[in-house]
Amino acid sequence: DAKTTQPNSMESNEEEPVHLPCNHSTISGTDYIHWYRQLPSQGPEYVIHGLTSNVNNRMASLAIAEDRKSSTLILHRATLRDAAVYYCILRDVLLNFGNEKLTFGTGTRLTIIP
Amino acid sequence: SAVISQKPSRDICQRGTSLTIQCQVDSQVTMMFWYRQQPGQSLTLIATANQGSEATYESGFVIDKFPISRPNLTFSTLTVSNMSPEDSSIYLCSVEESRVVSPNTEAFFGQGTRLTVV
């Protein structure tokens, strides 16, 4: 499985934008970039995913580098509720039985400062 | 989206005993996954459970220690057998909406079961 590298932790002020980086230099052409986050005492939840183009949804934006070797999750206006561990995960679109699992790295622990 | 209910939410168990964790989904799903999250660590997949077939275990996890049942498309159980303090972790159930290849496939997770073995 292609691996991802994220900073262990980041801090951001409340109501300011947050840019969470992820490096995935060994990404393959069929890997989607998925982001999940885990709020304290909860299971992970899906945030966003993309393949090549930048993506936006109600939770966040995903900016993907042109060579796809890195991506950035953007929270446009962080709130205290966004404090969580954010996981960047590569997922092969050619899902085969036994290969659908999500492989979690260590993620980035985001702290929001009031 | 799928809503997952896990029971119990937490438990404190004596070493040498076993605990069965239940995972109930509000819709039929083909694939269910069980993860372990040790204190301060990331999630590690224990096994994949599909209805009608035996669970597939990841390296380092064995059926005798973590037997899994998947009697239907909405329910699964994970048993942690002969527990030791090293089994103290959060155990999470996860489902995928479909096995069909889709870029929109996302995983849903239960709230987890916090297990402490004393």
Side-chain angles (χ1 to χ4, degrees), chain A residues 16-86:
Chain A
E16 290 187 356
V18 181
H19 290 235
L20 296 164
C22 181
N23 287 321
H24 28 78
S25 59
T26 60
I27 191 171
S28 74
T30 53
D31 281 330
Y32 270 75
I33 302 160
H34 285 245
W35 284 81
Y36 283 75
R37 72 179 185 180
Q38 187 173 20
L39 302 172
S41 300
Q42 295 191 27
E45 62 178 359
Y46 168 83
V47 177
I48 200 168
H49 75 275
L51 182 62
T52 56
S53 303
N54 295 344
V55 184
N56 300 296
N57 66 21
R58 62 176 180 81
M59 290 181 69
S61 295
L62 177 60
I64 301 172
E66 194 170 336
D67 63 4
R68 300 208 328 122
K69 293 182 184 298
S70 66
S71 60
T72 302
L73 179 70
I74 303 166
L75 307 178
H76 294 286
R77 196 162 171 268
T79 69
L80 295 177
R81 194 193 174 277
D82 292 320
V85 178
Y86 287 78

Side-chain angles (χ1 to χ4, degrees), chain B:
Chain B
S1 64
V3 177
I4 301 170
S5 173
Q6 264 188 253
K7 292 181 182 179
S9 59
R10 59 177 61 229
D11 207 342
I12 300 174
C13 300
Q14 296 291 324
R15 68 177 67 199
T17 63
S18 298
L19 176 71
T20 295
I21 302 168
Q22 298 180 2
C23 178
Q24 179 75 52
V25 189
D26 69 343
S27 58
Q28 293 185 338
V29 293
T30 302
M31 308 200 67
M32 297 182 79
F33 304 85
W34 286 97
Y35 288 83
R36 180 176 73 181
Q37 187 169 28
Q38 294 178 302
Q41 303 296 314
S42 185
L43 283 78
T44 300
L45 182 66
I46 297 172
T48 302
N50 294 322
Q51 194 266 339
S53 63
E54 289 194 7
T56 302
Y57 289 82
E58 296 297 305
S59 175
F61 297 96
V62 295
I63 187 171
D64 289 346
K65 176 67 175 177
F66 297 101
I68 288 171
S69 76
R70 182 78 201 275
N72 57 52
L73 291 175
T74 64
F75 187 78
S76 177
T77 67
L78 170 76
T79 299
V80 186
S81 303
N82 188 25
M83 288 182 286
S84 67
E86 291 71 34
D87 294 319
S88 297
S89 294
I90 298 172
Y91 293 86
L92 296 114
C93 171
S94 172
V95 303
E96 294 278 349
E97 284 190 296
S98 172
R99 276 185 63 187
V100 174
V101 174
S102 167
N104 294 319
T105 298
E106 64 181 84
F108 299 91
F109 288 81
Q111 299 277 46
T113 296
R114 183 179 295 272
L115 170 63
T116 302
V117 184
V118 297

